[in-house]
Every structure is written in C-alpha cells, then in structure tokens.
Amino acid sequence: ELLLAQIKFKLGNQIEAKDIYQSISDSPLTNAEQKKIADDNLAYIKTMDIQWNLFGTAMMTYGQSKNPANSPQYITILGNQYENTGFSNRSDRYKEIYALIGAKYNLTGQNPAALFTSFNVYDRHYNQYSTVDLRDYTWNLGYENEIFGGKNIITNAMSKINLGNKPYINNDILSISYEHSFLSNINSRTLYSIGYNKHQECNNCASSDSKSNWMNSVSENLTLGLTDKWIIEGNVSYANYDAKVDYESYEMTSGTL
C-alpha cells in the first residue's frame, strides 16, 4: 500500500495518495516504520492543500571587492575605444542587505501548481572609494507547476535600480526556468530570461529623457549533494545587453563561471 500511494502521488493523484496514506496510518497492522513514512507523506501533502503560504528571506553581508564597479577599463562605441571613467582597480569594503517577502496561492488540481508574488530590496554600499552604490527594488509575479518530470517556473519581474545615483527601470518580460533531478543527489536548474531596460538620465524619470534597450540571459546551475549537510554548486551564465542604434551603437556581454 505504501508503494501504491507513492505511485499515485508521482502520477499526480494527490487525493487518492492521501487516502491510502491515511489508511496506512490508521491501520493496527502498520508497524512503526511504515506509520512514520505514511505520516511524513501525509504532512507533505497537507502542506500542498494549504492555499495560502507566506515566505521571506533576510540577509546581511560584509565583503571586499577589487574593481568595485566590476567594469571594463575601455568601452567600444561605434568602433572607437573610450576610457571608462567608472573603472577603478582599487579594493574597497562593502556591505549588502537583502530582504524578500512574498505570498503563494496553491491551485487545486492533480498536478501541483501555484501562483506567487514577491517583493524584494537589495542594497550594496561601498565604504571608501567607489561611488557606484547599488539599490534595487523588485516586484515579481509568477506561476509554477510540476510537469515534464521537474519543476517549471514562469516569472514576470519589474525593478527600479539606482546605480551610482542614476535610476534605471527594468522589466523582465519573461523568465522561464526548468528544474529537475538527474539522480537523488544531482539537481539541475536552467533559466532563460528576456527583458526590457529603460535608462532614465533624469532625477524625476521623465520619459522624454529615457533610452530603451533589450536584454536577454541564460544560465545553468548544477548542485551536487555530497552528504545531507554538504553540497557543491556550480553556475554558468551569459547575459547580453543591446543598446538602440539611435542612442549608442554598442553591445555589452558578460559571462560568469
């Protein structure tokens, strides 16, 4: 019956799986180990029955950064190389604050699915040399489900960014991620995002002074579980930023490993 309940759940028949687990838990023929497995799975299924969930994260970081602006020494525009005034090879201390709060609404049905929204604030402040302090406010709206053998998330995000006291408006029109496990201890997450950037040069963000650009990025994250407490995680990403020709004809790309 335990195996049958597990199969029912993996096929998406949560209601039938829940009934079987409940029967196992209530049966006088169930031993202690079987009862624990049934009760643990019952508890997990019941969390999926809760329609509303609240979640949040808070984090503070202190660090040291060389070339705090993380910028190139030269920028190529229309085939000409210009020295980047934002480039600094100095080392500077910084502190970061990150906070997120959100809510999730679980949709009823055979396949687990949910709608979610969240708001987060990120602030990075340098101590001495750099003037490119970063502050980011982001609002996310998304949908997630568990089909095709993994977890799928579609997100729309809008953010207002202040970088070196210059405001930007970003809209990640579409972000799609697919997460699945190869083995019990190897997990993969692939993410593709296409977005729209509106660069506001003015203090009051008047639309007449703005420049608009498109962005896209792709990333792959692999997590290897060594034990129940230790993991190794690797991430590869590529991002592209295309400026409009009537503004400045240049292209910026970045890659991280």
Side-chain angles (χ1 to χ4, degrees):
E1 287 184 354
L2 275 174
L3 291 174
L4 177 61
Q6 291 168 1
I7 291 170
K8 293 285 188 182
F9 180 78
K10 289 191 174 184
L11 289 174
N13 301 324
Q14 295 179 23
I15 297 175
E16 294 182 49
K18 182 178 177 181
D19 290 342
I20 298 173
Y21 281 131
Q22 189 65 60
S23 174
I24 295 170
S25 179
D26 296 339
S27 173
L29 301 177
T30 303
N31 62 35
E33 182 181 3
Q34 294 166 341
K35 179 175 173 57
K36 184 180 185 307
I37 294 173
D39 289 343
D40 288 347
N41 282 278
L42 268 175
Y44 178 71
I45 293 175
K46 286 178 179 178
T47 62
M48 301 174 68
D49 291 340
I50 300 173
Q51 287 193 309
W52 284 101
N53 287 294
L54 296 177
F55 57 90
T57 304
M59 180 171 63
M60 180 177 285
T61 307
Y62 289 91
Q64 189 87 9
S65 175
K66 190 169 186 178
N67 182 16
N70 193 27
S71 59
Q73 190 169 359
Y74 297 95
I75 297 178
T76 302
I77 301 176
L78 296 175
N80 299 311
Q81 278 202 331
Y82 297 92
E83 189 170 352
N84 181 11
T85 57
F87 176 77
S88 170
N89 204 30
R90 290 174 168 174
S91 183
D92 203 353
R93 293 188 300 276
Y94 65 86
K95 64 178 179 181
E96 293 177 333
I97 297 175
Y98 174 81
L100 176 144
I101 188 169
K104 179 186 289 188
Y105 180 77
N106 294 303
L107 303 173
T108 57
Q110 295 292 352
N111 292 317
L115 296 170
F116 63 88
T117 184
S118 64
F119 178 78
N120 63 272
V121 177
Y122 172 81
D123 187 284
R124 181 170 179 142
H125 179 75
Y126 290 98
N127 183 63
Q128 190 174 0
Y129 301 113
S130 179
T131 60
V132 288
D133 295 338
L134 172 64
R135 181 168 293 168
D136 179 4
Y137 303 94
T138 303
W139 177 65
N140 301 282
L141 183 65
Y143 169 76
E144 67 179 29
N145 61 29
E146 293 185 20
I147 56 176
F148 307 124
K151 175 184 267 189
N152 308 275
I153 301 177
I154 301 173
T155 310
N156 175 272
M158 184 175 291
S159 60
K160 182 178 185 298
I161 301 172
N162 280 295
L163 178 62
N165 297 319
K166 287 188 177 182
Y168 297 78
I169 302 294
N170 288 316
N171 185 11
D172 288 333
I173 294 175
L174 186 66
S175 294
I176 302 174
S177 71
Y178 176 67
E179 183 176 344
H180 70 287
S181 297
F182 293 109
L183 300 172
S184 61
N185 65 332
I186 301 178
N187 190 69
S188 167
R189 183 173 184 265
T190 305
L191 171 66
Y192 175 76
S193 178
I194 182 169
Y196 178 83
N197 169 269
K198 194 170 186 179
H199 179 190
Q200 311 281 12
E201 288 285 2
C202 55
N203 293 327
N204 60 0
C205 298
S207 59
S208 60
D209 294 328
S210 66
K211 289 95 176 178
S212 303
N213 313 282
W214 288 96
M215 305 172 292
N216 64 83
S217 66
V218 63
S219 67
E220 173 65 32
N221 179 276
L222 281 175
T223 303
L224 170 64
L226 301 178
T227 69
D228 60 343
K229 294 183 176 64
W230 292 93
I231 65 169
I232 293 177
E233 184 174 274
N235 183 74
V236 178
S237 65
Y238 173 82
N240 176 268
Y241 177 97
D242 290 315
K244 290 178 65 175
V245 176
D246 59 356
Y247 170 36
E248 292 172 340
S249 179
Y250 68 93
E251 182 180 274
M252 295 172 62
T253 60
S254 67
T256 60
L257 175 63

